[in-house]
Amino acid sequence: MRREFMVLVAIFCSQTAFAEESLCLSKYKILSNQFYVYNEKSAVSNAIMDRIAAYTDGVDVHKIHPVEAKAWRVAIEEFVVIGQPMLQNLLEYKAIGCSPDQQIQINNQISKITEDLKIARARLNALISGLPASTFQ
């Protein structure tokens, strides 16, 4: 009886390890695909933020022409739409225990994306509300 239990435990553990590897691989593939789109949208969003800062001196978003403000808002929204799922997938990738030897890099990436999303949302709110955003500076 005890031997059968040990065999079942060994089978379960090997299947669990395989499932974890498979889940890590799946998450890794998703993150790889998201990474390229994230970088593209992030570059556009950062360029827009520089333009907004130049137009407004970091304060008055009313100086931005409404057509430009709308186009810039759309670009920032596109960045948030890709950034949020990427952050979620990175957090899940870390929680599952994938790439244990790269936890510092994963934590740094999580911090960077979190900060980028915080700034993007503040700027988006400023464009929508017309109120100044201190994060422009």
Side-chain angles (χ1 to χ4, degrees), residues 1 3 8 18 24 30 33 43-44 48 71 90 118 127:
M1 179 86 165
R3 183 167 188 239
L8 286 174
F18 177 73
C24 286
I30 291 168
N33 291 334
V44 170
I48 288 168
L90 263 173
K118 180 180 106 180
L127 286 172

Side-chain angles (χ1 to χ4, degrees), residues 117-133:
L117 286 169
K118 180 180 106 180
I119 292 169
R121 286 188 179 106
R123 293 171 178 171
L124 186 59
N125 287 337
L127 286 172
I128 292 169
S129 70
L131 298 173

